[in-house]
Amino acid sequence: MEMETILSLGFLIIGGGFVGSLLMALMKMLGTHKPPNKSLAQHLLGIFKWTIIFTVLLVLFIAFAVVPNS
């Protein structure tokens, strides 16, 4: 596989995961109430957990795969 194909596939998978998890988290946030025994930070962290993970993966992918090959 060429490097351009690998980079395109990486952006497709990681970027799609980021967008999908962000949309799912926003819909979940709009449809649920905060439990009274949890702080707001813990509640939002639980909702946006996958979005944060995909953001870190996207930054690492750009830093280690895209920048050295440009």
Side-chain angles (χ1 to χ4, degrees):
M1 290 181 108
E2 293 180 19
M3 186 54 83
E4 293 175 1
T5 306
I6 294 172
L7 291 177
S8 298
L9 187 61
F11 270 118
L12 177 69
I13 292 170
I14 297 174
F18 171 74
V19 171
S21 66
L22 181 63
L23 290 175
M24 286 181 5
L26 288 174
M27 291 299 137
K28 185 176 179 183
M29 185 179 71
L30 291 174
T32 60
H33 296 286
K34 183 182 83 65
N37 58 351
K38 288 178 94 175
S39 70
L40 181 62
Q42 288 176 336
H43 181 65
L44 289 177
L45 187 63
I47 290 176
F48 287 98
K49 177 177 48 178
W50 285 106
T51 306
I52 294 168
I53 291 171
F54 276 112
T55 303
V56 170
L57 287 175
L58 187 61
V59 168
L60 290 175
F61 178 75
I62 290 171
F64 291 117
V66 177
V67 174
N69 291 320
S70 59

